[in-house]
Amino acid sequence: MRLPRSLSCLVLAFGLAFPSTAHASAPAPLGGGSVLQTGVSFRCTAGFAAVSGKTGYLIASSACGRPGDTVRSAGRVVGVVLGAQSPPTGAIVIRVTNTTDWRLVGSIPPTDSRVTITGSVEAPVGASVCRYGATTGWHCGIIQAKNVSITFPEGTLTGLTRTSVCAEPGDNGGPFVSGTQAQGVLVGGSGNCSSGGTTFFLPVNRVLSAYGLTILTGP
């Protein structure tokens, strides 16, 4: 399946305002739904928090950074993007190195905690699914198909899930949940949240398995 041209805008265009860069006296919550930055004006949304032993990680779309990139949120360093999988999956994993300013949480979004993650059981086709993005907040729809392949300018991604949930620039990388179960991270789509659209996510269990990580549950 060849992706509509409008996907390029969703994958490559990100425009969000930063929250205050003032340092708090205690580490601030960080996790799914946090705004990430890997350049002067390049912004996207974190998918989920995960752990391996005592080390914390964030899972996001590969549009959020490249291996070796330093990732920031609210002007503060979060961590570094690990080496990418080959062939590419559409996701990246960020090792959180700054535990002075940040503490990982298993709730989405971190500062509101509307959804507390309890696991990552995969929902079936036809199930309700909701997405959080830093641009448009929460939007819901249904899972329409699985194991979908779509072609980006950079190559073809396989094993994606298609949904009826809308998205807009800046939402990319954000989390999909079904109830309190983590489902995947947004890697692209077409349309918008005014007229409706289609989105695709990479199942999070695929990323967890590839990197040997465990989803961080809340609170």
Side-chain angles (χ1 to χ4, degrees):
M1 175 179 180
R2 183 163 291 277
L3 197 65
R5 291 184 55 131
S6 55
L7 174 64
S8 298
C9 296
L10 179 61
V11 173
L12 299 176
F14 301 92
L16 297 175
F18 275 109
S20 170
T21 58
H23 285 245
S25 58
L30 178 77
S34 292
V35 180
L36 302 179
Q37 184 188 30
T38 53
V40 175
S41 59
F42 190 80
R43 303 175 180 90
C44 63
T45 306
F48 297 97
V51 295
S52 177
K54 295 183 179 180
T55 305
Y57 299 85
L58 286 177
I59 298 170
S61 162
S62 57
C64 295
R66 298 180 179 181
D69 281 352
T70 296
V71 179
R72 292 175 171 79
S73 184
R76 287 173 275 174
V77 169
V78 168
V80 179
V81 179
L82 300 184
Q85 292 175 259
S86 182
T89 62
I92 58 169
V93 170
I94 303 158
R95 180 167 58 89
V96 178
T97 59
N98 181 0
T99 56
T100 300
D101 290 325
W102 303 110
R103 60 180 176 87
L104 284 180
V105 296
S107 55
I108 302 170
T111 56
D112 183 21
S113 304
R114 175 171 166 179
V115 172
T116 298
I117 299 300
T118 60
S120 59
V121 176
E122 186 174 330
V125 171
S128 174
V129 67
C130 295
R131 172 199 59 75
Y132 181 82
T135 298
T136 60
W138 286 103
H139 285 273
C140 300
I142 63 170
I143 294 175
Q144 298 176 319
K146 295 189 176 186
N147 296 316
V148 176
S149 297
I150 56 176
T151 299
F152 294 80
E154 297 80 12
T156 299
L157 297 182
T158 62
L160 304 181
T161 297
R162 187 181 74 228
T163 84
S164 63
V165 185
C166 69
E168 295 186 3
D171 293 330
N172 206 19
F176 281 81
V177 298
S178 184
T180 61
Q181 300 295 315
Q183 297 299 306
V185 296
L186 176 65
V187 296
S190 59
N192 55 55
C193 291
S194 296
S195 59
T198 298
T199 48
F200 301 86
F201 69 75
L202 177 71
V204 69
N205 284 335
R206 183 174 166 186
V207 184
L208 295 171
S209 176
Y211 286 92
L213 305 178
T214 301
I215 199 79
L216 181 64
T217 56

